[in-house]
Amino acid sequence: MTIDDEESEEPNEELVSRIIKVTPELAEIYLSKATVNRRLNAGQVRTLMETIIRGEWKLTHQGIAFDSNGTLLDGQHRLHAIIEANTPVEMVVFEGLSKDVFSVLDTGKRRSAADTLFSTGEKYLSQLSSTIRHVILFNTMPNLPWRGAQARVSNDQILAAYNEDPDRYRESVSIGRELSKHLFASWTAVSTAVFLTTEAAPAGEIEAWISGLKSGAGLDSHDARLALREVPKDIQKRSSKRKMNMRDQMAIYIKAWNAWVDPEKAGELRLHRLKKTEKMPMPIKLPFEFK
């Protein structure tokens, strides 16, 4: 593809599109053709770059667009991502667009992770996608804040994780929905913690933990399930310093789980939010002989 540096005296009004493997070098050339463009979002560039590096880039109708004079109208974030990833990708390149279309480019609704999971036929799509996202964050960056560009999880990552274990994700969201009615934590926090702790338990052994949390019946005063049930629902209102976030809620749940699985290692159970230097607890694996 050739783009003339000088403005054409007779602009070509015919729209032409073609699939081109855009290399980092070609991306630099394309970006040099930008005159007016939207402000660069570093977080979006990083997200696209990581998508390319992970091999998740897919050829779609969204690509690069030039007007009839060869000026770049759309695609600067994709081009910067190619440069940052130092990896060529295929995309559709459009030439001959009217200059007037710039104001309406990329104004549609962004596809959410829940939208991506719609074809699975699952219920509670928002909770399911949020649970999967937080499982991924727990496994990849447990001791870092789950916010900002560093905590972005792509729709492809969420769908791939779902496909690896759909039954357990579905069950965790269902259990989390019920347990959150009896606990202080949010539906998402409980669903995520359920998934992570059932991952550490043999099949069938988790029922005692779940049933105890649901009913609280017959639990002695030292039972970690009772302690978790008694964490006040208004705990977030009791501190003016910092709102309890998802990591805090999950940490409290996992601390209780660990104390239930291995009371000797738990010591005196203190269910509180994470301190600044405290690491996220890892679920203790429940042994097969557990009773």
Side-chain angles (χ1 to χ4, degrees), residues 1-222:
M1 174 182 177
T2 303
I3 303 172
D4 294 332
D5 290 337
E6 297 182 1
E7 187 170 308
S8 173
E9 293 183 1
E10 295 182 6
N12 178 14
E13 298 296 334
E14 183 179 357
L15 178 62
V16 177
S17 65
R18 65 194 75 186
I19 298 173
I20 294 178
K21 178 169 284 189
V22 181
T23 64
E25 294 75 19
L26 188 54
E28 292 275 10
I29 295 173
Y30 284 173
L31 284 171
S32 72
K33 304 300 178 182
T35 56
V36 178
N37 223 320
R38 66 192 66 194
R39 182 177 299 176
L40 194 68
N41 184 317
Q44 176 67 2
V45 172
R46 178 177 176 177
T47 298
L48 292 172
M49 175 197 70
E50 292 174 346
T51 297
I52 294 171
I53 291 174
R54 289 193 301 267
E56 296 175 358
W57 180 269
K58 293 180 176 64
L59 177 65
T60 72
H61 66 288
Q62 294 179 304
I64 309 301
F66 296 91
D67 69 15
S68 54
N69 292 318
T71 299
L72 180 67
L73 293 180
D74 188 33
Q76 67 162 345
H77 288 87
R78 300 179 189 98
L79 294 172
H80 278 284
I82 290 171
I83 294 169
E84 293 295 323
N86 194 30
T87 304
V89 298
E90 286 189 336
M91 61 177 61
V92 180
V93 177
F94 294 89
E95 296 176 85
L97 288 174
S98 168
K99 296 178 181 179
D100 298 336
V101 304
F102 178 77
S103 62
V104 298
L105 292 173
D106 286 343
T107 57
K109 179 179 179 294
R110 184 184 295 274
R111 187 181 298 274
S112 68
D115 294 333
T116 302
L117 293 172
F118 182 78
S119 62
T120 65
E122 296 284 1
K123 298 191 297 183
Y124 315 126
L125 291 177
S126 293
Q127 288 304 133
L128 177 62
S129 60
S130 183
T131 296
I132 297 172
R133 173 178 180 267
H134 284 93
V135 168
I136 292 172
L137 291 175
F138 180 92
N139 288 328
T140 57
M141 46 184 291
N143 299 312
L144 296 175
W146 294 345
R147 60 178 182 271
Q150 67 177 357
R152 290 186 180 180
V153 179
S154 73
N155 291 350
D156 280 344
Q157 286 177 286
I158 288 176
L159 183 58
Y162 165 82
N163 287 331
E164 287 178 1
D165 205 343
D167 293 339
R168 198 151 61 84
Y169 274 116
R170 183 185 311 115
E171 183 180 30
S172 296
V173 170
S174 178
I175 293 173
R177 182 169 183 260
E178 290 301 313
L179 286 186
S180 62
K181 299 174 183 177
H182 309 286
L183 304 178
F184 76 99
S186 70
W187 183 0
T188 296
V190 177
S191 298
T192 307
V194 167
F195 183 92
L196 294 167
T197 50
T198 55
E199 192 174 35
E205 296 289 355
I206 195 71
E207 283 79 1
W209 166 260
I210 298 299
S211 61
L213 287 179
K214 283 183 178 179
S215 68
L219 303 181
D220 65 46
S221 59
H222 300 292

Side-chain angles (χ1 to χ4, degrees), residues 263-283:
E264 293 183 1
K265 290 184 179 180
E268 184 180 352
L269 180 60
R270 296 178 181 177
L271 298 180
H272 54 70
R273 70 185 66 206
L274 292 167
K275 298 177 181 178
K276 287 185 177 180
T277 58
E278 186 178 3
K279 292 184 177 181
M280 174 68 78
M282 297 291 111

